[in-house]
């Protein structure tokens, strides 16, 4: 059965390592990248503001995530020559185009998170081992 | 500046570890999960068919990904009692609802992958070290 959304797309023979889908998923499909983009969608932030807003992200991971997003042209980093230096991060024009598809994913989450949780509880109950 | 898409959403104070967004991103935001869901969106597959279609995925990673998707209620696993046993994977009704938001992300990729690649090349040229 072919899904409604993709009925007009020929099924790819193979998902190669070179295909754009795999490449872009490497970029945007880290949990932290998505959260940082979503966070910056509300406006420019300093490093410490990001760190304060995103619970559970380590300094190393936040630095890596920002560098990766900057490298891929999604985030812009601006350094102000003051003492101490102030560094601000914002979405680039390209990064802004990613907000809408990510919002669809967030909408899906809001709608379906309870169903996912129930499925997980059922699975864990069915697969629990004694002792 | 608040983006068009989220102008009616209050900015979250903090993205906590418990918030649905972080939870669901743990599930769907692995590259391999997205590719497996996308692959199953075209129809039911046997394990070997999935492995043959997804370049670069190890047996261990495919097994883990499928188990994780099954646990979260997105994929259904059906075992046929034949010799040797045949195991088929399909999207659940819940998993099907995720195809559309993932297609938006795939559309974004098709449209913007070249811009991402150019940004990456520029970044790497600007940040290359000698020697």
């Amino acid at each position: 059965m072919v899904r409604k959304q993709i009925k007009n797309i020929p099924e790819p023979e193979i998902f190669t390592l070179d295909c754009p889908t795999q490449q872009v998923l490497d970029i945007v499909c880290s949990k932290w990248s998505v959260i940082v983009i979503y966070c910056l969608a509300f406006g420019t932030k300093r490093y410490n503001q990001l760190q304060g807003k995103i619970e559970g992200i380590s300094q190393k991971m936040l630095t890596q995530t920002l560098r990766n997003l900057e490298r891929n042209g999604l985030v812009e980093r601006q350094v102000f020559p003051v003492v101490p230096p102030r560094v601000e991060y914002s979405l680039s024009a390209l990064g802004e185009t990613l907000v809408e598809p990510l919002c669809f994913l967030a909408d899906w989450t809001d709608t379906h998170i309870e169903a996912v949780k129930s499925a997980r509880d059922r699975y864990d109950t069915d697969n629990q081992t004694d002792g």
Side-chain angles (χ1 to χ4, degrees), chain A residues 2 4 10 13 16-17 22 40 44 48 52 61-65 81 88-89 92 106 113 115 117 119 130:
Chain A
V2 177
K4 171 173 61 80
E13 273 307 301
T16 65
L17 289 173
Q22 283 221 26
L40 291 176
T44 299
N48 287 344
M61 186 53 76
L62 179 56
T63 301
Q64 274 180 3
T65 302
E88 287 186 354
Y89 296 89
S92 67
I113 185 70
K117 280 185 193 168
D130 296 329

Side-chain angles (χ1 to χ4, degrees), chain A residues 15-128:
Chain A
F15 293 85
T16 65
L17 289 173
D18 285 342
C19 81
T21 310
Q22 283 221 26
Q23 286 184 32
V24 93
L25 289 176
D26 274 331
I27 303 161
V28 301
C29 245
S30 97
K31 182 178 87 165
W32 298 122
S33 296
V34 173
I35 292 178
V36 167
I37 290 169
Y38 192 68
C39 211
L40 291 176
F42 291 95
T44 299
K45 300 266 184 308
R46 293 196 308 280
Y47 185 93
N48 287 344
Q49 289 179 303
L50 285 169
Q51 202 172 25
K53 273 201 172 274
I54 305 174
E55 190 178 270
I57 196 165
S58 68
Q59 189 163 337
K60 186 181 168 191
M61 186 53 76
L62 179 56
T63 301
Q64 274 180 3
T65 302
L66 285 167
R67 191 177 299 143
N68 185 44
L69 291 172
E70 191 191 348
R71 177 173 180 249
N72 288 292
L74 301 170
V75 160
E76 280 165 2
R77 180 174 176 271
Q78 199 174 2
V79 183
F80 295 89
V82 292
V83 181
R86 200 172 84 228
V87 184
E88 287 186 354
Y89 296 89
S90 355
L91 288 185
S92 67
L94 183 60
E96 285 191 41
T97 64
L98 192 48
V99 173
E100 193 169 14
L102 292 184
C103 280
F104 281 112
L105 213 53
D107 287 345
W108 185 89
T109 306
D110 285 343
T111 312
H112 297 290
I113 185 70
E114 289 306 321
V116 169
K117 280 185 193 168
S118 305
R120 207 186 301 165
D121 289 344
R122 267 197 311 277
Y123 183 95
D124 290 346
T125 305
D126 291 349
N127 291 275
Q128 68 189 336

